[in-house]
Amino acid sequence: MRVALVALLLFGLVPLPGAAQVVSSEAAEVRAQQLLVRGLTRAYLDDHEEALILFTEALRYEPQQASLLSAAARSYEAVGDATNARFYAAQAVEQAPDARFYQEELAQLHLRLGETDEAVATYRQLVDRFPDALDVRFELARLQILSGAYEEAVTTYEDLLTRTAEVEAVYVQLLQLYARLGDDGRTEAALRGLIEAAPDAAEYHRMLGDLLRQRSAYEEAASTLEEALRLAPADVATALVLGDVYEALGDSTRAAALLDQTLDTEGASADALVARATPLYARSEIDPAAADVAARLLEQALNQDPAQTEALLMLGDLRYRAEQYEEAAPLLYQAVQANPRDLQIWTQAAAAYLQSGAPLRAADVADEALLLFPGQFSLLRLAAYGLMDGYRSDAALRRFEEALAVLREEAPGQTTEASDLVASMAMLHSRKQNTTASDSLYAEALALDPENVLALNNFAYSLAGRGERLDEALDMAQRAVDLNPGTASFYDTLGWVHYQRGTLEEAEQWIREALDAGGASALVYEHMGDVLHRQGRTDEARPYWQQALDLNPDNAALRAKIEQPPE
């Protein structure tokens, strides 16, 4: 009967006496629902402007309906009106305080707007209102981590331990938080909790054993790690840590036996050796012993299969990080032939050749990669430095210009990198005796980065060699030394500027600093001899000239200095 009455009213019939208020309310509700459905349809079609017109009209009939307020909030967000989106989402919560959905929707809106603190506050309210909703607590902890409130996240997770059966998942999160906070005490407690929750998980035993080892609790560490190895006999990472513990306990025999067990590869295929080496490789950056064993396993794999790509790549990277560039370069180059679409391997291979003293080979590898990755900045830069170090000055200049153009287009704010490239171009022009261009480029490099020590040093040395602008050269050489003390070549430049200025005591002082800094070149020894000779101490100068000649035996000018008669 009520449905029929509503239908009649909708068609404009006169209401019965005494029923007007009821009918009006029902009609408003029906109209609001119709408008809501139409608005949701428009929103589904991404026509949020039209949807908002419909939602606004619906709210005239039902201004306190949470579903309407929520729908309006979503459409306001879609059109970029964050203020109204927040307002209507908050109103939905206010009108339906017992409905989780609207509060969670408000929290997610805050997150999308980058308002993490507000999202956390909303989830705290949810926890207070729905204390048994464990998923809400998990989400609150996640948001607390996101906002950097690690101690608060710890409190939330520790509370969850008393409420949920998912204790392993909670302990895993707590373990990460304790590590982030540097709390070894609670880390140990979490590991023991994990072992209790998952007694057959070798990883947790290994982690606890390693922590005990770090605390020098060697006896307990040994038993814990032995259990880990029993659970995972092929875990070479555990064997390595246990070996360290045996060594600490003075039991070298057991330690050696464990290492032999790890390297007992009789009958293992190349792929099996690589699989055994992989976890060691993953630990290699923090564990030198793991790096050593991984390298030995990978060498065995390559002895069986010289084209095993993963072995080439991992061993090449290990050699590169150990600064064994001559060994790393061919391994990485061979690896990239099997996977030529990997830019990182190309870059590392070219860098390895450059570091190994094969600059032109580095340039060739970079050029080969540029066929696959045209305009790639890292490759252009490596090619440029390779050509520069290989004394292909004109070709190097072209590559530096290309690299600089790419850098300025892709990363115009990288002024330090740009300064290095411009300073290298200046040095190349200086090498070609084009001092006008080199001086201009050095000035440009220092304008980009006033603390570019190579530009300061090289510009100062260039000016000193020409005997020009010596006051300016002295200032730059001194700044280079101040910014990067302990560099022999910088001390030598400062000494040479003093030599050209005629301040010979200062020149001797700084060139001796260069010699004391170690790694002095033939040029530094020659400069020391020149300074002493100019002070009338030729007999003292000759041994330095001789050391320079020993390093550069084809230098006829040095030989002439040594053979000149005493003054």
Side-chain angles (χ1 to χ4, degrees):
M1 179 64 185
R2 175 174 292 182
V3 172
L5 179 60
V6 169
L8 289 172
L9 290 171
L10 288 173
F11 281 95
L13 297 181
V14 178
L16 295 174
Q21 186 61 39
V22 174
V23 173
S24 176
S25 174
E26 291 183 349
E29 182 179 347
V30 169
R31 181 58 178 157
Q33 287 301 115
Q34 291 173 336
L35 290 165
L36 174 61
V37 170
R38 289 172 58 194
L40 289 172
T41 302
R42 300 316 305 171
Y44 177 77
L45 297 172
D46 286 331
D47 186 1
H48 292 282
E49 290 83 358
E50 182 62 28
L52 282 169
I53 294 173
L54 294 164
F55 294 147
T56 301
E57 186 177 351
L59 285 167
R60 288 174 50 218
Y61 293 99
E62 291 285 321
Q64 297 178 331
Q65 188 182 128
S67 59
L68 260 174
L69 292 162
S70 172
R74 291 194 297 273
S75 284
Y76 273 119
E77 183 188 4
V79 298
D81 188 342
T83 300
N84 271 318
R86 288 189 205 92
F87 172 79
Y88 281 97
Q91 286 294 304
V93 171
E94 186 175 326
Q95 296 303 323
D98 294 326
R100 276 182 53 184
F101 171 78
Y102 298 119
Q103 283 188 274
E104 289 182 287
E105 189 174 58
L106 175 60
Q108 293 302 314
L109 172 62
H110 283 308
L111 276 179
R112 289 192 296 274
L113 295 175
E115 300 163 354
T116 308
D117 291 343
E118 289 81 353
V120 169
T122 304
Y123 265 96
R124 282 203 191 96
Q125 293 170 6
L126 271 165
V127 167
D128 293 340
R129 188 173 293 277
F130 305 101
D132 295 328
L134 299 185
D135 58 326
V136 171
R137 292 179 184 271
F138 273 105
E139 182 63 12
L140 173 59
R142 187 186 74 82
L143 292 179
Q144 286 168 331
I145 293 171
L146 188 65
S147 66
Y150 303 125
E151 285 288 2
E152 293 179 26
V154 164
T155 300
T156 302
Y157 276 125
E158 288 177 343
D159 180 64
L160 270 166
L161 281 175
T162 66
R163 298 172 181 270
T164 180
E166 299 179 39
V167 292
E168 184 177 358
V170 175
Y171 272 125
V172 167
Q173 293 295 331
L174 282 171
L175 195 62
Q176 295 175 11
L177 285 165
Y178 295 150
R180 188 186 292 270
L181 292 167
D183 191 332
D184 287 348
R186 288 192 290 182
T187 296
E188 180 180 344
L191 285 169
R192 293 188 187 280
L194 278 166
I195 289 171
E196 185 177 344
D200 294 332
E203 178 185 5
Y204 303 143
H205 291 274
R206 178 179 61 76
M207 292 171 70
L208 177 58
D210 197 17
L211 180 62
L212 292 167
R213 176 188 66 82
Q214 294 172 39
R215 292 183 176 178
S216 302
Y218 297 121
E219 292 289 351
E220 188 180 2
S223 61
T224 305
L225 290 165
E226 285 164 354
E227 176 64 11
L229 204 56
R230 185 190 69 78
L231 292 166
D235 187 353
V236 290
T238 299
L240 283 172
V241 179
L242 182 55
D244 291 343
V245 171
Y246 286 152
E247 288 283 2
L249 289 169
D251 196 342
S252 299
T253 302
R254 293 180 77 184
L258 269 177
L259 187 60
D260 290 342
Q261 178 184 329
T262 301
L263 293 172
D264 182 10
T265 56
E266 185 176 354
S269 67
D271 289 346
L273 289 164
V274 169
R276 188 177 293 190
T278 299
L280 296 167
Y281 172 76
R283 288 189 59 197
S284 61
E285 288 194 32
I286 59 172
D287 187 344
D292 179 62
V293 176
R296 292 163 68 180
L297 291 168
L298 292 167
E299 286 170 351
Q300 292 182 43
L302 289 172
N303 285 337
Q304 289 192 38
D305 180 2
Q308 218 288 347
T309 304
E310 288 302 310
L312 289 166
L313 180 58
M314 287 192 284
L315 185 57
D317 184 52
L318 287 170
R319 296 292 187 239
Y320 186 92
R321 286 193 273 121
E323 299 183 5
Q324 298 169 344
Y325 300 116
E326 286 189 42
E327 296 178 39
L331 291 167
L332 291 165
Y333 183 72
Q334 191 177 347
V336 84
Q337 300 308 301
N339 186 13
R341 301 306 306 183
D342 193 321
L343 172 62
Q344 183 177 350
I345 306 176
W346 278 111
T347 303
Q348 194 176 27
Y353 278 116
L354 186 62
Q355 295 281 10
S356 70
L360 293 179
R361 178 64 179 141
D364 287 342
V365 171
D367 284 341
E368 187 179 347
L370 282 164
L371 296 175
L372 295 169
F373 305 96
Q376 175 56 237
F377 172 73
S378 61
L379 296 173
L380 289 168
R381 179 178 56 183
L382 280 165
Y385 282 118
L387 291 165
M388 180 175 73
D389 290 353
Y391 284 83
R392 301 283 181 84
S393 297
D394 290 337
L397 279 168
R398 288 193 292 272
R399 282 303 195 197
F400 275 120
E401 288 166 356
E402 290 178 70
L404 188 61
V406 170
L407 181 67
R408 284 174 168 162
E409 180 178 349
E410 295 182 354
Q414 293 285 347
T415 54
T416 300
E417 183 72 60
S419 176
D420 288 340
L421 297 178
V422 173
S424 297
M425 294 166 64
M427 190 172 73
L428 287 166
H429 279 290
S430 180
R431 183 187 289 173
K432 290 159 60 73
Q433 305 299 312
N434 188 353
T435 56
T436 301
S438 69
D439 287 359
S440 175
L441 287 165
Y442 277 132
E444 181 182 346
L446 290 171
L448 288 165
D449 179 10
E451 295 188 351
N452 185 329
V453 290
L454 289 175
L456 289 165
N457 179 77
N458 294 350
F459 195 8
Y461 191 78
S462 176
L463 291 172
R466 288 139 48 193
E468 297 176 5
R469 298 158 60 184
L470 293 177
D471 289 345
E472 187 179 345
L474 180 64
D475 177 65
M476 288 191 290
Q478 185 65 61
R479 283 165 59 202
V481 166
D482 292 342
L483 287 166
N484 196 9
T487 305
S489 60
F490 292 1
Y491 290 145
D492 177 63
T493 295
L494 182 53
W496 197 240
V497 174
H498 277 295
Y499 176 86
Q500 298 291 7
R501 287 166 55 86
T503 47
L504 300 181
E505 289 185 8
E506 289 84 352
E508 181 180 350
Q509 171 197 335
W510 286 110
I511 295 176
R512 285 196 188 279
E513 290 277 1
L515 293 170
D516 292 342
S521 65
L523 190 61
V524 177
Y525 284 115
E526 183 177 2
H527 285 168
M528 190 69 217
D530 291 348
V531 169
L532 294 170
H533 171 68
R534 191 167 168 185
Q535 295 180 75
R537 298 154 63 187
T538 305
D539 289 342
E540 294 178 53
R542 283 194 178 88
Y544 290 103
W545 286 333
Q546 184 61 55
Q547 286 177 286
L549 187 63
D550 292 343
L551 293 170
N552 188 8
D554 296 328
N555 191 324
L558 264 172
R559 193 176 301 279
K561 289 180 183 180
I562 295 169
E563 294 173 353
Q564 65 182 296
E567 295 181 1

